[in-house]
Amino acid sequence: MATSEPVRARHVAIIMDGNGRWAKKRHLPRALGHQRGVDAVRRVVRGARELGVEALTLYAFSTENWRRPEEEISDLMGLMKRFILSDLDEFAAAGVRLKIIGDYKAFRPDVVELVEGAVARTADNSGTTLAVALNYGAQDEIARAAIKAAAKGAITPDTIAAELDTADLPPLDLLIRTSGEVRLSNFLLWQAAYAELLFTDVLWPDFSVDHLRDALEMFANRDRRYGGR
Ligand code: FPP
């Protein structure tokens, strides 16, 4: 399907990278970089909603992030809890639906309980879906989906796609990674098959709604051919 009409991105995903470098540049503790990263999450979720993005998927904690020092993992868990406690009312009232992808049940019981409560509370909302990837790895997701597809009788691209954690979201249109790294780090590997990829040098705590708007404009003007001409 070739098109040169501007196209609106329905599903945007972000690898939020560079919190540590943001802090290091300012001689601040890493934890503060993550804190500013949460401020960016808040801004970008509001912006995505205002800009009409249907689904925003954020890579908050990968299956590889368990290799970080215990103190940093605990900081990240604490930040996620505080984010839910401080922002859920606003997002719920604005029609945001919270969804988790990945094996989040491996987290501390207090985090699991809070997350499940927030997901349940927003389950019937029909505005933007905020999908947060927690203990997520794409290879793990694909393997889990293939097992479920096989149990139902057939392994095909369609039957696997139907079992992915993101099966209820629109197809991924745009995948953004901040901080200058140019790799996917086991994020949404299946879903990225036809997504536009955008790598920016901006560190995640500096990522603004203007950056998101620019990315959406860039997407709208790219010519997607899906292998056709
Ligand atoms: C990458 O920076 C960032 C992370 C591993 C965590 C992202 C998490 C948040 C922004 C906060 C929690 C999320 C939500 C949804 C409330 P890095 O530490 O790898 O940075 P570096 O590569 O510069 O060291």
Side-chain angles (χ1 to χ4, degrees), residues 16-24 26 28-44 75-76 79 82-83 203-208:
M16 310 181 288
D17 198 8
N19 295 349
R21 275 161 287 165
W22 183 95
K24 196 169 180 191
R26 291 165 176 77
L28 294 168
R30 282 182 74 80
L32 205 77
H34 290 314
Q35 242 178 65
R36 293 300 166 83
V38 175
D39 294 339
V41 168
R42 193 171 283 125
R43 277 196 303 274
V44 167
D75 281 344
L76 284 167
L79 281 171
R82 280 206 293 283
F83 173 73
L203 301 175
W204 176 247
D206 291 328
F207 197 83
S208 67

Side-chain angles (χ1 to χ4, degrees), residues 15-24 30 33-42 45 58-62 65 68 72 75-77 79-84 98 130-134 177-179 181 183 203-205:
I15 302 175
M16 310 181 288
D17 198 8
N19 295 349
R21 275 161 287 165
W22 183 95
K24 196 169 180 191
R30 282 182 74 80
H34 290 314
Q35 242 178 65
R36 293 300 166 83
V38 175
D39 294 339
V41 168
R42 193 171 283 125
V45 175
L58 300 178
Y59 206 3
F61 197 93
S62 73
N65 284 153
R68 295 194 176 205
E72 185 173 354
D75 281 344
L76 284 167
M77 299 290 146
L79 281 171
M80 279 176 225
K81 272 182 78 174
R82 280 206 293 283
F83 173 73
I84 291 178
L98 179 67
L130 169 61
V132 181
L134 295 179
R177 181 173 190 147
T178 59
S179 92
E181 308 290 347
R183 55 179 177 270
L203 301 175
W204 176 247

Side-chain angles (χ1 to χ4, degrees), residues 204-224:
W204 176 247
D206 291 328
F207 197 83
S208 67
V209 177
D210 283 341
H211 291 121
L212 178 64
R213 191 179 290 109
D214 289 350
L216 293 174
E217 254 166 49
M218 176 281 301
F219 174 85
N221 294 310
R222 278 196 192 174
D223 187 5
R224 298 173 91 197

